[in-house]
Structure formats: C-alpha cells, structure tokens
Amino acid sequence: MQTGKHFLQIPGPTNVPDSVLRSISNPTIDHRGPEFSEMTLEILEGIKKIVKGEECIPIIFPSSGTGAWEAALVNILSEGDKVLMYDTGHFSSLWKNMAEKLGFDVVYIQSDWRTGVDTNKIIETLEQDKDQKIKAVCMVHNETSTGVTSKIPSTIKNIKSLNHPAIIMVDTISSLGSIDYYHDEWMVDVTVAGSQKGLMLPPGIAFNFVSKKAIEISTKNNYRRSYWDWGEMVKTNLSGFFPYTPSTNILFGLKEALRLIENEGLDNIFQRHERHANATREAVKSWGIELLPINEDEHSNSLTSLLFEENINADNLRKIILKKFNTSLGTGLGRWSGRIIRIGHLGDFNDPMLLGTLSAVEMGLSLAEIEHKSGGIKAAMDYLERN
Ligand code: PLP
C-alpha cells in the first residue's frame, strides 16, 4: 500500500495541474453548440502563442502524437515521394517506420542516438539532391528517448540558404511548452505536437501547426487520406467546430492550461525547465554516472538520461525505485533498452518535486548496489539555492 502522491517523473505523460483536472471534469457540452465554438476559437488563437506561430494554422486532432506524425506526412507527401529523416533516436525511428509503411521513400541519416541532428549531413544530402526530389525534411526537436535537443534553427537556416524547396517538419512533442521554439521565425512548415508533456494535459489530443506554404501543397496533394485531412479541419475550424467529434473535455483542459501558461509566462517556463535540468545534471555528475547525451549544448531541458555500464540492468533500478519510493521513471527504448533511465523534469513541476525524485534515484542506486558517489542531492540543492 503506497501513501502520498505517486511521483510521475517519466518524460511524459506529465503531472496534470489540479485546475486542469478540474476543468476536464466539467460536464461535456454540445460540440455543435455556441459555447463550444466560442471556446475552440479562443483555443486556436491562444495555442499559436505557445508555438510562436502567429502566421500558422493550428490543427487539433483527437489522437496521440503518432496521429499527428501521420497527418503531417499524408497531407504533404504523395506515394513514392522522397523524404529526408534524421535518426536521433527511438522516436525518429518510429516516424521513419511510419513513413515507409505509408509508401514514402525515406532517405534516413543514421546516428549514434547520443547526439542531435548534424546539420552538415543534412546539407550534404540536400546538395546531392540536384533534381530536388526530396519533398520534406523531418526532424525531432527534442528526442525523448535520449534527452538530446537538436539545433533546429541553425539547421533550417542552412537548408534555406541552399534554396532547396523541401517542406520542413519538426516534432516538438517533448519540447513544446518546455523548450523555446519559434514556428514562424525558424521557418518551420509543419510543427507536430502532443498534449501530454509540456502542455500539462493528459494524453488525447495532438497538433499540426501548419504554414501557408504547407497548406497550399496539401490542397494539391492527392495522397489518399480522410481522418487526417487538413482541408476539412481548416474549413470547419473557421466557425469553431470540427469535422468529427472532438475531445471536448481535453479541450476544456487545454483552455485552462493556456491560462496557466499565460500567467506564468513562456520565458519564465523555459527558465524553470532549464534550471531543473541543470540541477538534475549536477546531481548525476556528482553521482559519477554518465549522461547519455554527448554534447553539452544538446542537453535537453525536458528530461535527463543516465547511461549505465553494460553489466547493469537499468530496468531493475527503475523497478526498485517504483516499488520502494512510488516514483515512475522513463525506461530505455529501442537501442537503449535496459541501459538507461530517463528522469522527466517537464510540465507542472517544482523544486521539492525534483528533490524528491532525485532522492528516490539516489536511494535506488544504493539499493540496486550500483556503484556511485553520494552527494547528488546536495549538489542539486546547492544549484537550486544559488540560481
Ligand atoms: N515523438 C516524440 C518525440 C515523443 O516523445 C513521442 C511519445 O512520447 C511521440 C512522438 C509519439 O507520441 P504518442 O506516444 O503520443 O503517439
């Protein structure tokens, strides 16, 4: 029997604030009535601020993030079209698998799952694409399976300097609302996002933020699609409605989450995430445990991945921490299965929650008899006190 609150410190779904939970618990309303349309129009306007995309068209699907990946691909690409995708980790590889299943021709740049997008490799590939057959470039901003944040703005800037017309798609599922992002300024065409991480909502809705250029391409694209079609969505959204039944109650939650974000201020939210990420890394370094991301300037502010020696079972550590300290941490995915644990420090979060989480990890390390130095918590506390 566990008492007190469960610590949900996986890198999403994240903790949902009480006021958002209360909003979600309101009675469901008629999704074809005036109250609903007024709310939708307010949300569609408000959500543009989070993605810094005043020029973009936001589209909300009742789906998980995977649905939003699919929507992005099927609205832009036609059967057999070439798409350049970059292998930053498990999630980028799932997006690639999906693109292949859907019949697109993926040019996949492989990597070590410890670093972010290498701009030079993308530029080299696009330079070789003399006939401009590559129709889109897909990148994951924050690779949740590794804790690596890619340098998206400089990469897009370099792509644009080539005058290559490829559509730019960026997955921000674990960065939006946690790490600074500029849809318009960075010239992204399709931003993919989900509800269950920085937006502090339960899973259940996902987003495409779409540039005018992308909308134009989609209207001419004859790839078969129905549920994911942007066309019907954009048309019905104009009057605050959806072409099918939306996730009414999650939208209540989104309205409240947008209010919370506005109150705290996006810049303050990003600083909060950076501060918690820095404190976490101070703890990990003090323990003498290796961080999975290699480059310091690619460390994620949403989550931290700890890499263990091959003879250590990282899942056993996670199990001990869950059983003994009622704390859920992220598991290793794909190539890193059994080798890493991931500490989520995104969404609705504060200093005592971070220290509680780190304490559970430090005690877990001792119980699992994993060699480490003590003092990680003290290092994190010192950092939080100073900053
Ligand atoms: N992309 C990233 C970066 C993710 O972290 C996830 C899920 O965690 C996904 C895509 C897939 O989203 P979902 O599991 O909501 O379908």
Side-chain angles (χ1 to χ4, degrees):
M1 175 44 199
Q2 300 268 21
T3 51
K5 275 208 171 188
H6 173 70
F7 271 57
L8 180 68
Q9 294 319 136
I10 56 174
T14 61
N15 297 288
V16 180
D18 290 348
S19 69
V20 172
L21 285 173
R22 280 195 297 273
S23 300
I24 290 171
S25 72
N26 274 306
T28 305
I29 57 170
D30 175 11
H31 60 286
R32 305 197 195 277
E35 195 188 337
F36 183 84
S37 86
E38 197 183 309
M39 177 181 76
T40 307
L41 293 173
E42 187 187 322
I43 285 174
L44 290 173
E45 213 33 57
I47 191 80
K48 286 204 249 176
K49 289 194 196 130
I50 315 294
V51 81
K52 305 215 173 112
E54 280 308 318
E55 302 291 318
C56 80
I57 297 177
I59 291 171
I60 307 176
F61 291 107
S63 81
S64 81
T66 303
W69 270 346
E70 181 159 344
L73 296 175
V74 299
N75 279 280
I76 290 296
L77 300 170
S78 296
E79 184 82 33
D81 269 357
K82 267 202 160 107
V83 51
L84 175 58
M85 302 179 107
Y86 199 100
D87 174 40
T88 42
H90 182 67
F91 288 105
S92 72
S93 79
L94 291 181
W95 202 7
K96 178 214 66 165
N97 294 347
M98 169 190 276
E100 285 176 345
K101 279 187 211 156
L102 292 167
F104 307 124
D105 179 6
V106 180
V107 180
Y108 200 47
I109 303 179
Q110 306 273 347
S111 90
D112 54 4
W113 288 25
R114 295 189 72 174
T115 49
V117 166
D118 180 340
T119 307
N120 294 333
K121 287 189 184 155
I122 293 210
I123 296 304
E124 250 168 53
T125 313
L126 290 175
E127 274 174 345
Q128 282 161 14
D129 181 39
K130 299 268 183 259
D131 305 334
Q132 303 192 329
K133 286 264 190 309
I134 293 174
K135 297 293 178 221
V137 178
C138 298
M139 297 173 283
V140 175
H141 184 206
N142 187 70
E143 178 52 75
T144 327
S145 67
T146 60
V148 169
T149 306
S150 283
K151 296 194 190 83
I152 297 297
S154 54
T155 303
I156 299 179
K157 216 170 172 182
N158 285 322
I159 295 174
K160 295 290 172 187
S161 71
L162 291 180
N163 280 327
H164 195 291
I167 281 283
I168 310 288
M169 300 195 195
V170 182
D171 170 335
T172 65
I173 288 180
S174 59
S175 58
L176 197 69
S178 304
I179 300 168
D180 213 355
Y181 184 80
Y182 294 82
H183 175 96
D184 287 350
E185 198 182 309
W186 294 357
M187 290 183 283
V188 179
D189 291 297
V190 187
T191 295
V192 174
S195 55
Q196 72 271 30
K197 308 210 186 220
L199 291 181
M200 307 176 289
L201 294 165
I205 56 174
F207 307 83
N208 281 173
F209 298 91
V210 186
S211 72
K212 298 217 165 67
K213 176 178 162 192
I215 288 281
E216 271 166 35
I217 290 179
S218 75
T219 51
K220 292 181 205 128
N221 177 20
N222 59 9
Y223 187 90
R224 282 191 184 202
R225 59 196 188 269
S226 171
Y227 188 81
W228 304 116
D229 186 35
W230 290 338
E232 271 305 299
M233 201 47 122
V234 173
K235 209 164 63 188
T236 16
N237 275 177
L238 284 176
S239 50
F241 296 113
F242 286 79
Y244 38 72
T245 312
S247 300
T248 313
N249 290 52
I250 306 275
L251 293 173
F252 292 161
L254 176 55
K255 185 177 162 190
E256 172 59 11
L258 291 175
R259 193 188 66 78
L260 294 178
I261 291 171
E262 174 103 39
N263 275 358
E264 186 176 352
L266 266 182
D267 288 342
N268 295 332
I269 292 174
F270 299 144
Q271 272 170 24
R272 168 165 62 80
H273 280 76
E274 188 180 347
R275 184 168 164 272
H276 286 150
N278 284 338
T280 306
R281 291 189 283 264
E282 288 296 321
V284 178
K285 280 184 217 153
S286 290
W287 291 327
I289 290 171
E290 194 175 358
L291 289 160
L292 180 66
I294 292 174
N295 303 322
E296 287 221 356
D297 58 353
E298 291 179 334
H299 282 171
S300 168
N301 289 340
S302 308
L303 74 139
T304 299
S305 298
L306 282 60
L307 176 63
F308 296 96
E309 303 292 331
E310 249 170 283
N311 60 342
I312 289 171
N313 181 349
D315 271 333
N316 184 44
L317 170 63
R318 266 185 354 105
K319 276 186 200 143
I320 290 172
I321 292 170
L322 175 62
K323 188 152 182 251
K324 186 91 181 159
F325 308 115
N326 200 13
T327 298
S328 290
L329 300 171
T331 183
L333 295 168
R335 195 182 297 177
W336 295 122
S337 174
R339 292 289 312 280
I340 66 169
I341 61 165
R342 295 172 300 141
I343 303 172
H345 33 71
L346 72 166
D348 188 38
F349 199 54
N350 62 24
D351 294 6
M353 288 162 87
L354 176 65
L355 293 172
T357 307
L358 294 176
S359 302
V361 176
E362 187 162 327
M363 291 185 287
L365 288 168
S366 299
L367 290 175
E369 296 177 0
I370 295 173
E371 203 184 312
H372 68 285
K373 295 189 207 93
S374 60
I377 309 305
K378 176 80 173 74
M381 280 167 62
D382 286 348
Y383 181 86
L384 294 173
E385 277 168 24
R386 281 196 319 270
N387 293 278

